[in-house]
Amino acid sequence: MSYRIAVFDAKPYDRATFDRVNKDFGFELVYHKEHLDINNVLLASGADAVCIFVNAVVDSAVIDKLHSYGIKLIALRCAGFNNVDIAAATKKGIKVVRVPDYSPHAIAEHTLTLMLCLNRKVHRAFLRTRDSNFSLVGFQGFDMYGKTVGVIGTGKIGKTAIGLFKGLGMNVLAYDLYPDTAFAGANDIKYVSLNELYANSDIITLHCPLTKETEYLISDQSISKMKDGVMIINTGRGKLIHTKHLIDGLISGKVGYAGLDVYEEEGAYFYEDHSDRVMTDDVLARLLSFNNVIVTSHQAFFTQEAMGNIAQTTMQNIQSFFENKDLKNEVIYKA
Ligand code: NAI
């Protein structure tokens, strides 16, 4: 029997990878370009499962609809699951699976890219030389060697990023709810309190999940504890940062640089071409006006290797569900 999967947020690159990997699975894939939310949940009716991405909004109202269509599986093709009401899904008997690990290298390498680009002003140099302006004024950077980077969240991505930072000769301070002391010893890094990390880091990079505890972790309060001119990098989730507070920090100069692959209101903009419209999000517009801010549109995951792994694990998760096999990538509700 062929199961029908409604694949939301499907871009040409998703379709290419999923169609290739699906040759080994034989699902009926029905692609929708919209991200799943209450306005278009109807598109899921008739499907056996939905496959969604980072900007879907799967709250209890959407879950109720999915349940009424007889859908029993939500397959996230990403690691984070903050956009799905797991409690509501569990209550309705809908399973949620995800792709916990597809290429920590992709995200860690993008993190480093943002840091180096901001430090050495490559984004500005690119534009300047295109205009035959070969001046170096304003472009002085700093050696990464010997600087201190604070890593918040030392899971798969945080640890991979630490490997890159150590390769540059940086000092690493780390914070995690569950410190891995063996890793710290083997890699010559130090776990410290958040306050110590804020006070002593030249660069701070976020690799923890978005949870109730981490929402707006970076706010005016935490920024006030940081070094003057700190660089903040976020390739985690947008809501880890209170964007208006970050903007205040950038205006005052307290924050010297920000590299953002994610943004708290990204769902309205990221992954789509809005170039022929007026920007209505004043906060995003302000962020984009700073020459010491780089915004990328949630692309840290976007490598050939990661896309292939995402499709393979997603299909495997779906197959395991329909074959009643062990769901090793299930998201289990924790009260
Ligand atoms: P992971 O689960 O391997 O590691 C997360 C780490 O954060 C764990 O060590 C955990 O103990 C720690 N943590 C949890 N709560 C914390 C808290 N309150 N304070 C400090 N640390 C805490 O996850 P992984 O694979 O390293 O991914 C991290 C995050 O990166 C994901 O949750 C996701 O939001 C984001 N991500 C972003 C991508 C992008 O394209 N920009 C792609 C993939 C993931």
Side-chain angles (χ1 to χ4, degrees):
M1 174 176 173
S2 170
Y3 292 98
R4 181 185 288 191
I5 318 298
V7 183
F8 285 84
D9 236 330
K11 298 286 178 289
Y13 44 83
D14 295 303
R15 296 173 71 133
T17 313
F18 272 73
D19 284 344
R20 175 170 56 77
V21 172
N22 191 40
K23 287 189 183 130
D24 295 333
F25 291 86
F27 294 119
E28 184 190 342
L29 302 179
V30 182
Y31 293 108
H32 302 289
K33 61 180 174 14
E34 299 81 2
H35 61 235
L36 176 61
D37 64 16
I38 194 66
N39 300 315
N40 54 46
V41 62
L42 187 63
L43 293 170
S45 70
D48 298 294
V50 291
C51 175
I52 61 168
F53 198 44
V54 289
N55 288 323
V57 183
V58 186
D59 53 17
S60 59
V62 171
I63 302 268
D64 286 347
K65 291 280 183 194
L66 295 177
H67 180 253
S68 74
Y69 306 148
I71 288 170
K72 296 197 169 52
L73 181 70
I74 298 170
L76 285 148
R77 53 180 197 278
C78 54
F81 49 87
N82 51 283
N83 53 338
V84 178
D85 187 335
I86 304 296
T90 308
K91 217 162 123 192
K92 294 287 182 188
I94 296 177
K95 299 270 188 196
V96 181
V97 287
R98 67 181 182 126
V99 184
D101 185 4
Y102 43 85
S103 172
H105 307 287
I107 298 98
E109 288 171 17
H110 192 74
T111 302
L112 182 61
T113 303
L114 289 173
M115 285 180 189
L116 292 172
C117 194
L118 282 165
N119 173 10
R120 305 306 294 270
K121 284 89 175 168
V122 177
H123 55 302
R124 296 180 61 200
F126 173 82
L127 295 174
R128 216 180 256 191
T129 54
R130 293 274 141 156
D131 196 31
S132 303
N133 179 351
F134 300 98
S135 158
L136 296 185
V137 173
F139 283 1
Q140 184 167 278
F142 56 82
D143 286 2
M144 299 290 276
Y145 179 86
K147 294 295 180 301
T148 299
V149 56
V151 179
I152 301 180
T154 55
K156 292 176 286 293
I157 296 170
K159 282 182 176 138
T160 306
I162 287 170
L164 303 179
F165 305 147
K166 293 303 287 184
L168 292 173
M170 302 184 79
N171 305 314
V172 178
L173 297 177
Y175 173 78
D176 197 293
L177 279 188
Y178 307 100
D180 183 341
T181 45
F183 175 82
N187 292 277
D188 188 27
I189 70 159
K190 200 172 155 202
Y191 278 101
V192 294
S193 69
L194 269 181
N195 282 344
E196 280 176 84
L197 184 145
Y198 293 147
N200 295 298
S201 300
D202 302 294
I203 301 174
I204 294 174
T205 181
L206 308 175
H207 301 291
C208 56
L210 175 62
T211 61
K212 278 193 210 102
E213 295 74 40
T214 60
E215 183 171 322
Y216 295 146
L217 184 70
I218 305 303
S219 65
D220 47 7
Q221 283 186 9
S222 47
I223 290 172
S224 70
K225 297 173 185 167
M226 295 176 191
K227 281 190 173 187
D228 291 343
V230 63
M231 181 189 291
I232 298 175
I233 305 288
N234 188 8
T235 58
R237 283 291 180 269
K239 271 208 168 151
L240 295 174
I241 296 185
H242 192 298
T243 315
K244 286 189 178 157
H245 294 180
L246 178 72
I247 288 173
D248 290 342
L250 284 157
I251 290 169
S252 72
K254 178 75 184 172
V255 178
Y257 320 74
L260 309 172
D261 187 49
V262 285
Y263 163 58
E264 54 178 312
E265 301 299 336
E266 69 181 46
Y269 280 90
F270 284 18
Y271 299 133
E272 302 300 335
D273 179 1
H274 291 264
S275 57
D276 60 349
R277 275 168 258 172
V278 164
M279 175 159 292
T280 53
D281 181 333
D282 286 348
V283 176
L284 181 57
R286 186 67 179 104
L287 269 184
L288 294 170
S289 74
F290 293 102
N291 62 6
N292 53 352
V293 172
I294 297 178
V295 175
T296 52
S297 108
H298 206 144
Q299 71 173 70
F301 74 97
F302 198 39
T303 65
Q304 291 168 13
E305 292 78 3
M307 286 295 284
N309 293 339
I310 286 170
Q312 183 68 35
T313 305
T314 301
M315 299 284 186
Q316 195 60 60
N317 285 341
I318 297 171
Q319 189 175 61
S320 298
F321 174 80
F322 286 118
E323 291 182 350
N324 285 319
K325 289 192 179 145
D326 183 31
L327 276 186
K328 70 181 170 81
N329 294 324
E330 182 176 359
V331 181
I332 308 281
Y333 173 63
K334 290 190 193 114

